[in-house]
Amino acid sequence: MKTVRENLLYLGLTAIVVVGGYAFLRYAYRVMDRAPFTQEIVLIILGTVATVLITAMLLNKQTEVELKKEQSIKFIELKSEIYMDFINHIEQLVLEKTVTEQDQVRLQFLTHKLAMVASPAVLVQYQEFLKVFNRSARDEALDKSEGDAISVSLAKLTVKIRQDLVGELDQGGAYDMAAIDRQVMNNARESSNG
């Protein structure tokens, strides 16, 4: 809101300079016929003031765009870090084939971190993942079938995470979202069968 006000202020000042300058020039041409260089000096000053105001407005807009871009980059980095931390934690649990109380607490905190950055589609799929994970981890030991169920559910979640992080890039690519979804799921099945 502040930048809109600033832009309107600069626009108003520019309009005042242009209108005032035009009125002054009309007056100066009539009064200062005897000193022709005065007219050129007035034109130079008006041009300089208008240029400074327009440049300030453009620089203000450019700074605003750069700040938004920087915030967006930082947010994507934070998302990526939290998503990778979550996947690494699940990998550790499946490799150890046990789920301790400490692991459950860490998963709860990762759930809170995901709630801060994840898209709604990721959160919905994450809830489905938690159902599968909690069913599998009830007895605190993970056998192969439970690990496979977690892997398939994690693959579905990974598709949503990918859409959240690079979905716009995928939409412009050669594959559609459904093809990417199928490929990720096929990769998950192949890795659990192999």
Side-chain angles (χ1 to χ4, degrees), residues 144 148 151 184-194:
K144 177 152 175 41
D148 290 345
S151 178
V184 169
M185 294 307 295
N186 288 339
N187 291 348
R189 286 187 195 97
E190 287 294 320
S191 66
S192 64
N193 289 337

Side-chain angles (χ1 to χ4, degrees), residues 31-50:
V31 173
M32 299 180 192
D33 283 338
R34 294 176 219 102
F37 291 115
T38 308
Q39 295 170 345
E40 283 81 12
I41 291 172
V42 169
L43 285 174
I44 290 170
I45 291 171
L46 286 175
T48 303
V49 170

Side-chain angles (χ1 to χ4, degrees), residues 156-169:
K156 291 177 185 176
L157 179 59
T158 303
V159 169
K160 297 299 181 187
I161 289 173
R162 178 185 172 91
Q163 288 173 357
D164 188 24
L165 290 175
V166 295
E168 293 172 2
L169 297 174

Side-chain angles (χ1 to χ4, degrees), residues 9 20 51 58 92 110-111 153 162 165 167 175 187:
L9 177 68
T51 302
L58 291 174
Q92 176 189 359
L110 284 171
T111 299
S153 184
R162 178 185 172 91
L165 290 175
Y175 294 102
N187 291 348

Side-chain angles (χ1 to χ4, degrees), residues 107-161:
L107 187 61
Q108 288 173 356
F109 279 94
L110 284 171
T111 299
H112 296 304
K113 288 179 182 180
L114 284 171
M116 289 188 329
V117 298
S119 70
V122 171
L123 292 175
V124 168
Q125 191 61 49
Y126 180 68
Q127 186 176 14
E128 296 300 315
F129 169 81
L130 283 178
K131 288 176 185 174
V132 171
F133 181 82
N134 288 333
R135 241 183 322 208
S136 299
R138 236 181 247 144
D139 59 356
E140 295 185 3
L142 299 174
D143 62 21
K144 177 152 175 41
S145 65
E146 292 170 334
D148 290 345
I150 290 172
S151 178
V152 168
S153 184
L154 184 60
K156 291 177 185 176
L157 179 59
T158 303
V159 169
K160 297 299 181 187
I161 289 173

Side-chain angles (χ1 to χ4, degrees), residues 11-150:
L11 188 61
L13 289 174
T14 303
I16 289 170
V17 167
V18 169
V19 171
Y22 176 75
F24 182 73
L25 277 177
R26 297 283 292 173
Y27 173 76
Y29 276 125
R30 289 190 181 142
V31 173
M32 299 180 192
D33 283 338
R34 294 176 219 102
F37 291 115
T38 308
Q39 295 170 345
E40 283 81 12
I41 291 172
V42 169
L43 285 174
I44 290 170
I45 291 171
L46 286 175
T48 303
V49 170
T51 302
V52 167
L53 289 174
I54 290 170
T55 303
M57 189 171 64
L58 291 174
L59 286 174
N60 189 23
K61 189 66 175 173
Q62 180 183 3
T63 302
E64 178 186 340
V65 167
E66 286 179 7
L67 284 174
K68 284 183 181 179
K69 178 181 170 187
E70 187 68 28
Q71 287 174 341
S72 178
I73 289 170
K74 293 284 185 189
F75 189 65
I76 289 174
E77 287 174 354
L78 177 65
K79 271 185 176 186
S80 298
E81 182 181 323
I82 290 172
Y83 287 152
M84 291 307 294
D85 195 25
F86 166 74
I87 291 172
N88 289 336
H89 180 65
I90 299 302
E91 175 188 23
Q92 176 189 359
L93 295 177
V94 172
L95 287 174
E96 291 176 0
K97 298 183 181 186
T98 59
V99 180
T100 65
E101 188 175 324
Q102 183 179 5
D103 294 329
Q104 289 284 4
V105 170
R106 181 135 197 281
L107 187 61
Q108 288 173 356
F109 279 94
L110 284 171
T111 299
H112 296 304
K113 288 179 182 180
L114 284 171
M116 289 188 329
V117 298
S119 70
V122 171
L123 292 175
V124 168
Q125 191 61 49
Y126 180 68
Q127 186 176 14
E128 296 300 315
F129 169 81
L130 283 178
K131 288 176 185 174
V132 171
F133 181 82
N134 288 333
R135 241 183 322 208
S136 299
R138 236 181 247 144
D139 59 356
E140 295 185 3
L142 299 174
D143 62 21
K144 177 152 175 41
S145 65
E146 292 170 334
D148 290 345
I150 290 172

